[in-house]
Amino acid sequence: MHKYRTHTCNELNLKNKNEKIILSGWINKKRDHGNLLFIDLRDNYGLTQCVIDNSNDYFKEIEKLQLETVIRIEGNVVERTKETINSDLNTGKIEVKILSFKIIGHCKELPMPVFSDQEYAEDIRLKYRFLDLRRKKIHENIILRSKVIAFIRSEMSKLGFLEFQTPILTSSSPEGARDFLVPSRLNPGKFYALPQAPQQFKQLIMVSGFDKYFQIAPCFRDEDARADRSPGEFYQLDLEMSFVEQHDVFDVVEKLMVNLFKKFSNKKIKYETFPKISYKETMIKYGTDKPDLRNPLIISDLTEVFKRDDVKFEIFKKLVKSGSKVRAILTKKTKDKPRSFFDGIDKWAKSEGASGLAYLTFEKNNIISAKGSVG
């Protein structure tokens, strides 16, 4: 029998009933019912409920243990009663009756509980990062990251790409951000640079005739943090292809991303074939070169409307006559909104630097009303 465990904490079920087993892990939770003490034992794979009664010689010793103490348990697998089954756990139909235990690692009182997903100050989380990474949500995110990277590697290999690791210490080259510099011991006064991206190396690989390259590449940039990027360093899927056109690169990325989301996300994929929008079209329709296509608000051109004789909005009619374009965001079901709704948007527009806001109500291609505070 293995010294530390015969099973993981996510493995036991009714098939193991009456078996003598060994588990090792962290004490995730304790529930003291007086004569009975319940322990949720946790490892990388999941939880198993263990129980000990006060007739056991180890009862008082286990009762005093702090959460996150690492222990090894020997016990028997028993079936839970129907009213105590936990359907949220793979091990929810059984529990382990503790026969003996051994402390592998003591733990003092915790600065932050591990079993809770409560948010804590960042300085506490970073100081006790080893505890933070034990928390269920964070732990699962780290595992997911590993699985995603493994999947990307597998998919890129299927597509005929070869993986290479490019140098980290290199010479400085002009990029979009500041370099991180590393002093050279062998060449006093000179410095290596950490790569902002493996640009030169992957181009070297291409001209050497390797055809298709990829790498889960570390990139180092001395710049401030962004909403989706940590400061200083991040990882990216880096790829390069020979003898291809733009659509060939699009096809690879499209196939990879669709398969990736099908594998790891339960969200519905709106487009399995990515929409292709020209820069000119996206700026006219969305006002940005990275539009969120889930947003139903599209900018429409109303220039022709203000050329009509029945339209009396003089500010825009004059602008159109001088050659300007009039564009507006089309909304639906706002005709009956109170005046305060539009005043609020007008106030927001002015806070963003606009001179005011005009709004029109259309019905069957006719303007019912036209209002605004455009100066």
Side-chain angles (χ1 to χ4, degrees):
M1 188 175 284
H2 193 278
K3 180 179 178 181
Y4 288 108
R5 62 185 178 192
T6 56
H7 300 79
T8 69
C9 290
N10 194 45
E11 198 173 354
L12 298 171
N13 53 47
L14 289 176
K15 292 179 181 179
N16 305 103
K17 184 178 176 182
N18 298 326
E19 287 183 16
K20 186 176 181 180
I21 56 89
I22 299 174
L23 297 177
S24 291
W26 289 260
I27 298 177
N28 192 64
K29 278 186 182 180
K30 288 197 306 179
R31 298 179 297 281
D32 195 338
H33 291 192
N35 294 332
L36 287 175
L37 178 64
F38 292 92
I39 291 176
D40 287 342
L41 195 68
R42 184 193 77 245
D43 65 8
N44 177 69
Y45 306 98
L47 292 172
T48 297
Q49 178 173 284
C50 304
V51 60
I52 186 170
D53 62 51
N54 62 358
S55 64
N56 190 303
D57 293 339
Y58 296 103
F59 182 87
K60 289 187 177 179
E61 192 175 349
I62 293 179
E63 193 177 34
K64 295 175 183 177
L65 294 179
Q66 292 284 353
L67 298 183
E68 292 305 298
T69 297
V70 185
I71 60 175
R72 170 186 177 274
I73 283 175
E74 288 190 38
N76 290 326
V77 179
V78 296
E79 185 176 357
R80 292 200 202 188
T81 58
K82 287 185 178 180
E83 62 272 15
T84 61
I85 288 175
N86 185 347
S87 57
D88 293 331
L89 295 178
N90 290 340
T91 58
K93 292 183 178 180
I94 59 92
E95 60 189 15
V96 173
K97 186 175 182 181
I98 299 173
L99 300 176
S100 64
F101 91 105
K102 181 179 180 181
I103 297 174
I104 298 175
H106 287 276
C107 185
K108 298 179 181 178
E109 187 173 351
L110 298 173
M112 54 184 285
V114 168
F115 63 81
S116 170
D117 279 332
Q118 178 184 338
E119 290 299 324
Y120 295 92
E122 190 175 81
D123 57 336
I124 296 292
R125 292 180 59 194
L126 291 176
K127 183 177 180 180
Y128 300 100
R129 188 60 168 163
F130 64 97
L131 293 178
D132 191 41
L133 291 174
R134 295 181 192 177
R135 297 164 68 201
K136 187 174 187 292
K137 181 180 178 181
I138 308 298
H139 196 83
E140 288 177 349
N141 284 345
I142 297 295
I143 292 174
L144 175 62
R145 184 181 189 276
S146 176
K147 290 180 178 178
V148 166
I149 290 174
F151 181 81
I152 288 173
R153 285 197 165 103
S154 174
E155 291 296 294
M156 295 301 285
S157 180
K158 290 177 187 176
L159 293 169
F161 284 79
L162 299 173
E163 182 177 10
F164 295 102
Q165 283 72 44
T166 52
I168 298 298
L169 294 176
T170 181
S171 59
S172 182
S173 61
E175 294 276 356
R178 291 184 296 271
D179 286 325
F180 281 111
L181 300 178
V182 180
S184 171
R185 178 180 61 83
L186 297 178
N187 301 282
K190 295 188 177 181
F191 297 81
Y192 295 105
L194 301 181
Q196 295 186 32
Q199 189 68 35
Q200 292 180 322
F201 298 112
K202 68 180 181 180
Q203 289 172 343
L204 180 63
I205 290 169
M206 287 297 100
V207 299
S208 300
F210 286 100
D211 201 68
K212 291 181 180 179
Y213 139 93
F214 87 97
Q215 181 183 187
I216 310 295
C219 300
F220 304 91
R221 299 178 185 177
D222 188 7
E223 60 184 14
D224 295 337
R226 302 183 188 180
D228 59 350
R229 184 183 297 173
S230 299
E233 64 176 280
F234 61 92
Y235 283 78
Q236 67 182 27
L237 170 62
D238 201 82
L239 60 92
E240 197 77 39
M241 304 163 67
S242 293
F243 306 113
V244 293
E245 296 181 286
Q246 178 177 268
H247 70 86
D248 295 305
V249 180
F250 286 172
D251 287 346
V252 167
V253 175
E254 181 179 283
K255 186 177 294 185
L256 175 66
M257 296 306 294
V258 168
N259 289 342
L260 191 63
F261 273 83
K262 282 183 176 179
K263 177 74 174 176
F264 294 104
S265 176
N266 56 8
K267 296 184 183 298
K268 184 180 178 181
I269 300 175
K270 189 172 184 180
Y271 303 103
E272 291 203 15
T273 300
F274 293 171
K276 295 177 176 63
I277 309 172
S278 69
Y279 175 79
K280 181 178 180 181
E281 182 185 358
T282 191
M283 292 305 291
I284 289 174
K285 281 188 173 182
Y286 303 100
T288 174
D289 62 352
K290 45 183 182 294
D292 184 342
L293 299 184
R294 296 170 299 179
N295 189 337
L297 300 179
I298 296 176
I299 300 171
S300 302
D301 193 323
L302 298 186
T303 304
E304 293 300 316
V305 172
F306 288 94
K307 291 180 180 179
R308 287 164 32 183
D309 293 334
D310 61 315
V311 176
K312 305 300 182 183
F313 215 119
E314 293 302 322
I315 294 176
F316 292 114
K317 289 180 74 72
K318 289 178 182 178
L319 289 170
V320 169
K321 285 180 181 178
S322 67
S324 296
K325 298 282 186 181
V326 178
R327 295 192 176 100
I329 294 174
L330 174 65
T331 62
K332 297 180 180 180
K333 299 180 180 179
T334 53
K335 184 180 72 170
D336 298 323
K337 291 285 185 181
R339 175 64 184 265
S340 59
F341 172 80
F342 297 99
D343 287 345
I345 298 177
D346 180 56
K347 185 177 179 181
W348 170 82
K350 289 177 179 176
S351 72
E352 294 294 311
S355 59
L357 176 78
Y359 51 96
L360 315 170
T361 302
F362 277 86
E363 194 170 280
K364 296 180 180 179
N365 203 32
N366 292 316
I367 294 179
I368 304 303
S369 65
K371 299 177 183 178
S373 61
V374 181

